[in-house]
Amino acid sequence: MRLKIVNLSKSYDINVLKDISLSIEGYKSVAIIGASGCGKSTFLRLLSGVEFPDNGSIQVNDYNVNIDYVADYQKKIGFVFQNHNLFPHLSLKRNISLILEKTRNHTFEEADEKAAKYLTQFHLEDQMHKLPKNVSGGQSQRASIARALSIDPEILLLDEPTASLDPILTYEVLEAIKQLKNIGKDTIFVTHEISFVKDFADYVIFMKDGKIVEHGKPEILDSPKDVAFREFMTKVK
Amino acid sequence: MKTKVFNYLLAILTVAAFAAAIVLRQDSTFDLALLADYKGMLVQGFFNAILYSVIVLIGSLIVGFIMYIMVKSNWGYFRSLADVLTEIIYGTPLLVLIVIMAYVIGPAFGTHNRTAMGLLAMTVYMAPYMTNVYKAAISSISEAQYMAMKLFGFTSYQKYRYLIIPQVVRQLMPPMMNNFSLIIKGSALLSVINRFEIFYVIKVAQSKTFAFLEGYIVLWILYLVITLPLSQLTKYIERRYGV
């Protein structure tokens, strides 16, 4: 993927992102890590175009992520939320097929078939008629990944997909995400699971206090230069 | 499941035995035949009570929604007004509100239509409770869900049609049905302004036949006949469609 960030800043009551710039090309899977409150989720939200920066610009592959082009861009991204964020009144299958039917011009039958196919890929064939509240958190999160993939996105964004799960369910979801490696989608993800970053990412961005402090190939995880990064790594081990 | 049914049967029998004991302990005789002449009026009163309650339900859903919009308004005046009205209504007994509406507020606007004023009083009384129902139902849709709707590219119409309204209605139903039950029970108070509903008919029958005991028991049972199935229906809806 190609990612070009220029002088990006965003504030709510406080400055969350402070003048971030970054230009990388040729990586498939970018991890954003850092302590809670470092601005990584905000960064991901700006990358998705649901919110816009106060200053600066974002380019992802061939897309300028700004208000004029955002609708086209968003058709090309799949987003996996914290806490799955499935629509609670729809079955796992309908959560996917509704999107395909209403926003991607599939017929009801096509959408239904495709939804079943993706859920089966994530071993949810027995659960797909159930409501999210009637399946486990891990199953919901896997369905959410299936939902993000079903629209055949060019870029996949994952916002701490395992944040609310216990270790067993986390393992379950991370195993599911590893499948993504083989399908060759560009992926940008925020996570606290360092071992997963090592397995899955080919580029790592470490953030602190709204800034990118260090970035590079996953090897930087083993020998962090920045003090804060080193401290972070000792804590998460 | 079997023990559950058994436990319920036992509980119902306990209450029935208690009720039988109460009836047997009365000094006066117990003769339902005394009320036989009033059967037609009772049926009419029964259906009137339901009709009044449905009108109040619909009215309070509308007024409650208007108050919800006031509460969420950007204009401080409307929020304050909703707040003041809510506090006054919460602090007023329904009985008092009905009497004031029928005999004080109504005439001030030149109307002596006590049915309309009584129903209006009940509508106003229930409106803040309905406002709360709306608040809870609408706030149950999280920010993250709105974000998902936007990211997946739903149009405004699609958002409401497939995602927002179906969820709000599901959330709305059980508490709304509970409020309906409150309305039905509250409708007994319309008898103080002599509206033709169950309690009123019973009072008329009692004054003619002196069948006080029988009257009160029939009165009680008639309300249960409406409210018990309603609460079962509410529970069913909650189980079937709850989120």
Side-chain angles (χ1 to χ4, degrees), chain B:
Chain B
M1 189 63 202
K2 241 181 187 166
T3 31
K4 198 179 168 193
V5 172
F6 178 74
N7 285 337
Y8 267 102
L9 279 175
L10 206 61
I12 290 167
L13 279 175
T14 312
V15 175
F18 178 72
I22 301 258
V23 170
L24 290 173
R25 282 177 65 81
Q26 303 296 325
D27 297 332
S28 53
T29 53
F30 187 78
D31 184 8
L32 280 177
L34 287 171
L35 294 172
D37 288 348
Y38 294 91
K39 218 167 81 190
M41 275 171 78
L42 268 175
V43 170
Q44 206 194 330
F46 179 85
F47 286 111
N48 271 0
I50 294 176
L51 176 68
Y52 290 153
S53 301
V54 170
I55 292 170
V56 171
L57 176 72
I58 295 168
S60 62
L61 278 170
I62 295 168
V63 179
F65 190 70
I66 293 169
M67 283 179 75
Y68 173 79
I69 291 170
M70 286 166 70
V71 168
K72 293 286 165 189
S73 166
N74 288 329
W75 293 347
Y77 167 72
F78 286 115
R79 292 198 302 273
S80 305
L81 186 61
D83 212 22
V84 169
L85 289 173
T86 302
E87 287 300 318
I88 290 172
I89 293 165
Y90 277 169
T92 310
L94 178 54
L95 180 68
V96 174
L97 195 59
I98 289 173
V99 173
I100 296 278
M101 195 69 93
Y103 295 121
V104 181
I105 298 178
F109 288 95
T111 174
H112 295 274
N113 184 339
R114 278 183 278 153
T115 306
M117 285 297 118
L119 294 181
L120 183 61
M122 287 184 66
T123 300
V124 167
Y125 184 81
M126 288 310 294
Y129 296 95
M130 290 300 186
T131 304
N132 288 341
V133 172
Y134 285 118
K135 273 190 212 165
I138 293 170
S139 69
S140 72
I141 301 180
S142 63
E143 279 300 312
Q145 272 201 59
Y146 286 108
M147 187 170 147
M149 292 173 205
K150 194 175 162 204
L151 273 172
F152 286 116
F154 287 100
T155 64
S156 288
Y157 168 76
Q158 289 171 338
K159 280 182 203 172
Y160 280 95
R161 166 68 183 82
Y162 300 107
L163 300 168
I164 298 172
I165 291 173
Q167 284 190 65
V168 169
V169 169
R170 276 177 174 80
Q171 297 278 347
L172 215 69
M173 282 306 277
M176 189 195 81
M177 298 289 270
N178 286 335
N179 283 350
F180 188 43
S181 210
L182 285 179
I183 292 169
I184 289 164
K185 291 182 279 180
S187 72
L189 293 173
L190 291 174
S191 62
V192 298
I193 51 169
N194 299 333
R195 293 309 90 187
F196 197 92
E197 46 66 64
I198 305 171
F199 199 7
Y200 176 80
V201 175
I202 291 287
K203 282 200 299 188
V204 170
Q206 284 172 330
S207 65
K208 296 267 172 60
T209 63
F210 303 107
F212 288 100
L213 176 61
E214 294 84 350
Y216 287 132
I217 294 216
V218 167
L219 176 71
W220 190 12
I221 289 170
L222 283 178
Y223 281 108
L224 290 178
V225 165
I226 312 175
T227 54
L228 292 186
L230 199 62
S231 77
Q232 292 309 307
L233 180 66
T234 309
K235 282 181 185 160
Y236 171 77
I237 290 173
E238 222 166 351
R239 270 199 311 273
R240 178 73 180 73
Y241 299 104
V243 175

Side-chain angles (χ1 to χ4, degrees), chain A residues 56-189:
Chain A
S57 67
I58 302 173
Q59 199 185 348
V60 184
N61 292 352
D62 295 328
Y63 305 97
N64 284 312
V65 186
N66 63 38
I67 205 154
D68 299 327
Y69 303 106
V70 77
D72 289 338
Y73 169 65
Q74 282 173 343
K75 294 251 168 192
K76 299 291 179 192
I77 60 172
F79 200 101
V80 178
F81 296 83
Q82 287 182 31
N83 304 320
H84 70 75
N85 200 19
L86 296 170
F87 299 117
H89 64 301
L90 301 175
S91 69
L92 301 188
K93 190 159 84 168
R94 192 63 184 140
N95 254 284
I96 296 175
S97 65
L98 183 76
I99 292 164
L100 296 175
E101 190 190 334
K102 302 300 172 193
T103 72
R104 299 300 195 276
N105 300 322
H106 288 51
T107 63
F108 178 82
E109 289 75 19
E110 281 167 9
D112 198 62
E113 205 176 299
K114 204 166 170 187
K117 190 188 100 187
Y118 277 96
L119 288 167
T120 307
Q121 188 185 333
F122 289 94
H123 311 295
L124 292 163
E125 55 276 19
D126 299 331
Q127 315 293 332
M128 59 190 178
H129 299 292
K130 294 185 185 167
L131 292 176
K133 66 168 180 178
N134 294 330
V135 302
S136 76
Q139 289 168 333
S140 296
Q141 193 56 288
R142 269 149 50 203
S144 163
I145 296 167
R147 179 171 76 167
L149 282 178
S150 69
I151 59 166
D152 193 22
E154 184 179 324
I155 305 139
L156 199 60
L157 304 174
L158 299 101
D159 184 11
E160 298 192 40
T162 60
S164 59
L165 303 176
D166 68 34
I168 294 169
L169 297 179
T170 297
Y171 174 78
E172 195 179 279
V173 169
L174 294 182
E175 285 302 302
I177 297 177
K178 282 179 190 164
Q179 292 183 37
L180 305 179
K181 208 167 183 174
N182 308 320
I183 56 173
K185 303 256 181 230
D186 291 336
T187 308
I188 303 174
F189 63 103

